[in-house]
Structure formats: C-alpha cells, structure tokens
Amino acid sequence: MSMLGAILTPHPPVLLPEVGNGREREISATEDAMRAAAAEVARWAPEVLIVASPHTILYGDYFHIAPGSGAAGSMAAFGTPQVRIEARYDEALRKEIIRRAERAGLQAGTLGQRDPDLDHGVLIPLYFLRKAGVNCPILRMGLSGFSALDHYRLGQCVAEAVEALGRRAVFVASGDLSHKLKADGPYGFAPEGPVFDKAVTKTMASGNFLEFLTMDPSLCERAAECGLRSFQIMAGALDGLAIQPRLLSHEGTFGVGYGVALFPVTGHDDARRYAAACEQNRKERLAARRAKEDPWVRLARLSLETFVLQGHSLQALPEGLPAELTEQTAGAFVSLHKDGRLRGCIGTIFPTWENTAMEIVQNAISAGTRDPRFPPVRAGELDELEYSVDVLGKPEPVDSPARLDPKQYGVIVSCGRKRGLLLPDLDGVDTVEQQLEIARQKGRIGEDEPYTIQRFKVVRHA
C-alpha cells in the first residue's frame, strides 16, 4: 500500500515549548495528541511526507508546489530562531504529481515562489515528527482559490503519483480550525466558529470526507477557518482507501480550534470515492440557488452571460421587470462568488444610468470583466457563479463612528478626491473599526490622513 495514511494537525506556534514558555501546557491535550500522532507515523516508516499548508504561498488560480532540492525554516518570527528544521524534497515525486495534475486539467507547478523557507504550517508538524524519528524527505504544497473538488482531485493526483513511484507515503494536512471561538481570542467570536469546529471534528471522527467537501462556504468564511482546503487535498489522497479514523484531540483554549486526527490506511474501499458525490452536491446547490433568484439577480446574470457568450451587452431589457427596476434610479453593486469566494465586485455609489435596471446591466458586466483583482470571467465559469445585487440608498454624513453598524450600514470614507466604500453585512467584517480600516485602504487613504464618513443602507438581492 503506497499511501500508508494521513495525519491532520494544527500549527499554533505556542504549542512548541521553546515558543510557549509554559503556555503550551494550556493546550496539553493538543501537545499529547501531536506526540501520539507522530509516534504512530514513525511506526508506519514512511519514505516521504506530503505536507499541505495554508501558509505556503497561495494563489487563487494555481496550486504551488515548492521547487528545489530542499529547504529550511525556523521559528525566528516567533522569537526562537534556534528552532530550525531542514528538509529534503522528493523531486521525482514532485515532477510526477505535476505531470498528473496537468493531465487532469489542474493548474499546478513550481512557479511563483516568493519565500523558499519552510513556513510554520510545515515546521510545527515536522517538529513533532522529527522528534519521533521521522526524517524522510518531504513534498510541500500550498492551497488555492479553486473549488473543493479541485483540491480533492489534486489529492487524487498525489496518490496516483505515489503509487506510480512505489513510495511509502503519509499525507500531513496542516491546518487550524475556526479562528473565532472566543470573544477574548485574537480574532473575536462568531456563532459560526463553534458550529464549524463541531462539524469538522465530527468528520475527523467518522472519516466521512464528503462532509469536508460540501460544507457551506458562507459558514466557513464567517468561522474564519484555516485548514479546510488542506483537509480536502488529504481526502483526495485517501480516495478509495479504507481507513480507521481516530480523532485524538480538539481544543479551543485560545479562541482558535486545534484538532489532531489520525487516518491509517487498512485496505481498499470503493465506497470512499467522493468526487462524483461532491460534484453532484455542487450542481444541486447552484441549481437551488438559481431557482430562487429574483428579477434583480436574474438581470445581472443575463447581462454578464450575454456579454461573455455573445460579445455584446443586452440590446434591450427583458420584458416584465418590476417598476422599481425600470422607473427608479439608484446606485448598485453586483458581486460574483465562485466556490464561496469573491470572483468580482463592481458598483456605483450614485445612479449613472436612466434606471436601476441599466445600472445593474452595466455593473454586472464590469464585475465580471473589469474588476482589476481578478481575470475576466470565462464562458466555462458562468454556470458556477453566484450573484448578489446591492441597491444603495442615499448616503448620509455621520459625525461619529458610533453611528455606524457594519451589519446594517455600508460606509464611505472620503479624503479630498480619494474615496473608499464598503458594503454592509460582509463575511469577516464584524466591527466598525474593521469596516473603516478596509474602506480607508480601498480608498488609498493614509493612516494619518483625515477623512469624512458617510453611511448608507442597501437592499440586498441574492
């Protein structure tokens, strides 16, 4: 059996005694579980570790696999440069994974390296594995903005490459869980945080990896999760294999979820092939959402699809639109999401067209083709997009941040000709301070520059 199994590990720097200086005892269950998992892997005697880390370079449209013959890293960023690890890379395995990924239509390779050093998402599991006597080469890969299914398919390519080269391999899925478990934690509290951790640890215990692939993207975003995509690649690496799942520990002492699990492989099990079920779930979710779209959202979709497929904007508005669209004017923002992540967002603060319908028509095209943060939407993506339309109320000045509420009001900050806008009720924006900071950055307004504040309400169509 080439894939011997997998371990799922957190990566809090405080877990290392050299960094924690005693605080690691507050998460002693995690430390004990990491040592137990590392000892178990040592008994498996792997020839290579494939490590997926959220802190290795991440691209929206590319899976980065670390190049070169090896790398080193230290915990210097956490005050302990003496904690240093060197690792050799399995170059032949890397080449085979990339070859198979390309053949599967995945964008993966060694391009775009920014920092060759091992990141702490790799260093911390390696720290425990090395102490247990696991000194084999590794292969290090990052995550991407691709879908859950694409992460799973990359894992399948890993397993195929391991099998083709006859390696005894262990997959190391590095990732914390929710970052929003406690109000006094470093990231605050969100109700979705404990919900996410409960769902993920249930999956760790059951081994039903389909649940890793079908979690609600909005829940994941609001929970500020870290490692789910690492877990999805791991699930693909264990595709079709029987496992004995063991959830060793779960803690949230510091407001961040730390889970440790072991998945030793015991044989083959064709019932544990989840790609088809994942794709079917995605299609059903998108179809259900599309069936609920109101005229505002349907108009945005029609506009962008017409432009991408036919090369021109709508020649005429569709019949039967509500009077609110054809007889009123308003600024409007159109937002596009794909696989739960932003794919484009463009809008107007004040009306610039003869009615709200035309405002939406034009802004949908701009969101899909002119947002400088993203490449233009391709025809093959259209069925995967989720749309929302925010129709803006009239902005009003406010004299104090105390009159803001990021869930109820959007905000506009202005300094001379520089202006930044942020819509209300966005995932991950929970405080007025966050809202103002993001709006200021969007407007390229310096920290020390004075600015005025306006607030506005929106009617959101999704």
Side-chain angles (χ1 to χ4, degrees):
M1 193 74 64
S2 293
M3 288 300 306
L4 305 173
I7 59 171
L8 189 155
T9 81
H11 48 244
V14 71
L15 186 61
L16 308 189
E18 296 88 343
V19 177
N21 289 316
R23 292 194 70 203
E24 71 277 5
R25 289 193 288 271
E26 298 179 51
I27 49 173
S28 60
T30 300
E31 182 181 11
D32 291 344
M34 290 286 281
R35 295 187 188 282
E40 181 73 10
V41 171
R43 286 191 284 272
W44 298 347
E47 297 171 335
V48 63
L49 303 172
I50 299 102
V51 188
S53 166
H55 298 284
T56 295
I57 187 67
L58 183 153
Y59 291 103
D61 57 354
Y62 190 72
F63 287 110
H64 177 78
I65 303 176
S69 59
S74 78
M75 298 297 287
F78 304 96
T80 54
Q82 72 275 18
V83 180
R84 177 179 172 83
I85 293 176
E86 296 181 1
R88 292 168 291 125
Y89 289 149
D90 188 328
E91 298 178 67
L93 180 60
R94 178 178 62 216
K95 182 178 180 180
E96 184 67 14
I97 290 172
I98 293 171
R99 186 180 73 83
R100 289 176 179 272
E102 290 175 346
R103 194 168 69 185
L106 299 173
Q107 298 296 314
T110 58
L111 300 177
Q113 177 166 265
R114 296 180 184 174
D115 184 355
D117 291 351
L118 301 177
D119 59 90
H120 74 276
V122 176
L123 285 170
I124 291 170
L126 280 186
Y127 175 96
F128 287 93
L129 288 162
R130 289 291 176 84
K131 284 188 174 296
V134 181
N135 294 298
C136 60
I138 73 168
L139 185 141
R140 177 169 65 117
M141 60 176 54
L143 314 179
S144 79
F146 291 132
S147 67
L149 180 57
D150 283 342
H151 284 79
Y152 187 87
R153 291 170 61 215
L154 179 63
Q156 289 177 300
C157 294
V158 168
E160 291 169 2
V162 163
E163 183 75 25
L165 297 185
R167 297 285 197 271
R168 292 172 55 84
V170 171
F171 197 97
V172 180
S174 177
D176 298 335
L177 307 187
S178 170
H179 283 64
K180 292 196 171 186
L181 297 182
K182 288 188 173 182
D184 60 353
Y187 305 95
F189 175 78
E192 294 83 358
V195 174
F196 177 86
D197 272 34
K198 182 177 180 180
V200 170
T201 52
K202 176 185 175 184
T203 301
M204 293 179 194
S206 70
N208 180 10
F209 293 156
L210 181 61
E211 294 172 1
F212 282 153
L213 305 175
T214 57
M215 293 192 70
D216 178 3
S218 178
L219 168 68
C220 298
E221 184 75 19
R222 291 181 180 272
E225 63 84 15
C226 169
L228 183 60
R229 285 170 284 176
S230 290
F231 311 159
Q232 291 165 350
I233 302 174
M234 177 196 73
L238 299 179
D239 176 69
L241 297 176
I243 59 170
Q244 288 183 337
R246 291 168 55 195
L247 173 61
L248 302 182
S249 70
H250 174 251
E251 293 185 291
T253 307
F254 302 132
V256 177
Y258 305 139
V260 183
L262 265 173
F263 305 103
V265 169
T266 59
H268 291 277
D269 184 352
D270 284 339
R272 295 184 51 78
R273 298 187 186 275
Y274 298 114
C278 175
E279 177 63 11
Q280 183 61 29
N281 178 276
R282 185 186 69 85
K283 288 180 178 179
E284 291 175 356
R285 179 177 59 81
L286 289 173
R289 183 181 176 96
R290 189 163 184 161
K292 295 179 181 178
E293 291 176 348
D294 68 11
W296 284 257
V297 176
R298 286 200 302 271
L299 179 61
R301 181 184 292 278
L302 176 64
S303 175
L304 181 58
E305 290 183 348
T306 300
F307 187 85
V308 172
L309 296 175
Q310 301 181 24
H312 60 76
S313 57
L314 287 174
Q315 303 299 302
L317 292 174
E319 296 182 359
L321 292 176
E324 294 169 77
L325 282 169
T326 59
E327 298 177 9
Q328 297 180 13
T329 62
F333 274 72
V334 175
S335 301
L336 312 174
H337 284 80
K338 179 181 174 183
D339 299 316
R341 295 177 176 83
L342 186 67
R343 184 63 179 84
C345 179
I346 294 287
T348 45
I349 301 173
F350 301 102
T352 59
W353 292 84
E354 63 268 25
N355 55 38
T356 304
M358 286 304 299
E359 208 78 34
I360 293 169
V361 165
Q362 298 302 320
N363 290 341
I365 294 171
S366 294
T369 64
R370 300 177 190 132
D371 188 328
R373 298 168 294 179
F374 305 96
V377 167
R378 303 181 305 274
E381 297 178 87
L382 291 172
D383 287 343
E384 303 174 27
L385 296 180
E386 299 179 32
Y387 293 69
S388 64
V389 176
D390 289 295
V391 179
L392 275 61
K394 185 178 180 180
E396 59 179 6
V398 298
D399 55 11
S400 168
R403 298 183 61 200
L404 299 176
D405 179 343
K407 297 301 180 185
Q408 182 178 9
Y409 294 106
V411 67
I412 303 167
V413 297
S414 303
C415 177
R417 300 181 65 180
K418 294 187 289 187
R419 183 164 58 189
L421 177 146
L422 198 67
L423 295 170
D425 196 23
L426 298 178
D427 289 339
V429 182
D430 302 312
T431 68
V432 169
E433 291 75 19
Q434 287 176 311
Q435 188 183 43
L436 289 173
E437 176 67 12
I438 297 170
R440 182 185 61 76
Q441 291 178 359
K442 290 182 69 176
R444 298 183 180 180
I445 299 171
E447 291 185 24
D448 299 325
E449 292 185 274
Y451 57 81
T452 59
I453 304 172
Q454 294 172 287
R455 71 182 187 183
F456 59 90
K457 287 188 174 182
V458 305
V459 177
R460 177 160 295 165
H461 303 265

